[in-house]
Amino acid sequence: QVQLQESGPGLVKPSQTLSLTCTVSGGSISSGGYYWSWIRQHPGKGLEWIGYIYYSGSTYYNPSLKSRVTISVDTSKNQFSLKLSSVTAADTAVYYCARDGRYCSSTSCYYPLDYWGQGTLVTVSS
Amino acid sequence: IQLTQSPSSLSASVGDRVTITCRASQGISSYLAWYQQKPGKAPKLLIYAASTLQSGVPSRFSGSGSGTDFTLTISSLQPEDFATYYCQQLNSYLQAFGPGTKVDIK
């Protein structure tokens, strides 16, 4: 059973860099050909996809955040990480890490988010 | 690709049949997933490929649609189904979620 766990500071000052790590257990991050995602949810709001990374290091980011986001992977620790620079109060949210599963039929493959971490609240405040 | 959901919220009773709609701004074939989220919890995958039930999800949940219009149906609402439901397009590498539909108790 794959499990994901976010970790990192719960409070970040404005203009600083938010840094979170997702530790994966129950499976190797570098096997299976999966993508690994970060998603956030502002208080009382919907889900916002931040970006994802392949174990090889290929990344894709939400264009609205691309200039401030870096996602990296450390296969030796079975972890992937999120850095969001120049944060403001608008970046206060619950941050989730998740696995993009791979489900293939004879004609197509689908990559829904099938395993999620519990989420961690990050507050941006001085 | 933008996703809209309707209604944004609904009130229903245990045993009711509930239908939630998700519409994509352009055709996405069957590249759509549905999630359930309860307060304080991470979302849970219910359906992918528009209509394929994720393992372990009760059969009262079903999905349909293709192209731009999709539906999530709960055939007989149970107390544990009161939650917010999100659709997600899987068509492009730029993932996006719908705004959500909150299902609460009438």
Side-chain angles (χ1 to χ4, degrees):
Chain A
Q1 176 80 347
V2 175
Q3 293 184 312
L4 297 90
Q5 177 69 58
E6 305 89 351
S7 60
L11 181 64
V12 181
K13 288 182 167 52
S15 80
Q16 294 190 341
T17 295
L18 177 160
S19 295
L20 295 174
T21 295
C22 183
T23 300
V24 179
S25 58
S28 171
I29 205 168
S30 56
S31 68
Y34 298 108
Y35 286 85
W36 303 88
S37 284
W38 286 99
I39 302 99
R40 71 179 182 179
Q41 187 169 35
H42 295 103
K45 302 297 184 182
L47 300 165
E48 179 181 27
W49 174 73
I50 298 171
Y52 56 52
I53 190 165
Y54 196 52
Y55 77 94
S56 63
S58 299
T59 53
Y60 297 96
Y61 299 138
N62 186 325
S64 68
L65 298 169
K66 186 176 182 178
S67 64
R68 299 193 293 129
V69 171
T70 302
I71 298 176
S72 58
V73 64
D74 187 337
T75 55
S76 67
K77 294 182 179 178
N78 226 32
Q79 296 175 334
F80 62 107
S81 298
L82 169 70
K83 291 189 185 299
L84 182 65
S85 64
S86 306
V87 298
T88 70
D91 295 308
T92 293
V94 174
Y95 287 76
Y96 295 100
C97 59
R99 188 186 83 167
D100 291 58
R102 188 176 76 249
Y103 299 84
C104 296
S105 66
S106 58
T107 56
S108 302
C109 288
Y110 302 86
Y111 302 87
L113 297 160
D114 60 356
Y115 290 96
W116 294 67
Q118 65 186 23
T120 187
L121 174 63
V122 178
T123 301
V124 179
S125 175
S126 55
Chain B
I1 299 173
Q2 307 294 322
L3 298 176
T4 57
Q5 287 183 235
S6 60
S8 57
S9 65
L10 65 91
S11 296
S13 300
V14 173
D16 283 353
R17 181 181 182 88
V18 169
T19 299
I20 299 168
T21 297
C22 177
R23 177 163 291 172
S25 60
Q26 61 189 87
I28 57 172
S29 184
S30 59
Y31 289 91
L32 190 96
W34 289 97
Y35 300 85
Q36 175 194 67
Q37 186 180 33
K38 297 180 180 180
K41 299 295 186 182
K44 173 187 173 183
L45 176 64
L46 297 176
I47 288 169
Y48 62 92
S51 61
T52 302
L53 211 61
Q54 173 68 338
S55 176
V57 174
S59 59
R60 64 181 178 272
F61 291 93
S62 64
S64 65
S66 182
T68 60
D69 296 314
F70 302 87
T71 298
L72 172 70
T73 299
I74 309 172
S75 61
S76 178
L77 198 65
Q78 297 302 299
E80 60 268 30
D81 300 336
F82 292 96
T84 300
Y85 294 85
Y86 295 93
C87 57
Q88 182 204 19
Q89 67 89 7
L90 307 174
N91 186 63
S92 86
Y93 70 90
L94 299 177
Q95 301 184 16
F97 293 92
T101 295
K102 184 176 181 180
V103 178
D104 61 22
I105 302 172
K106 183 182 286 184

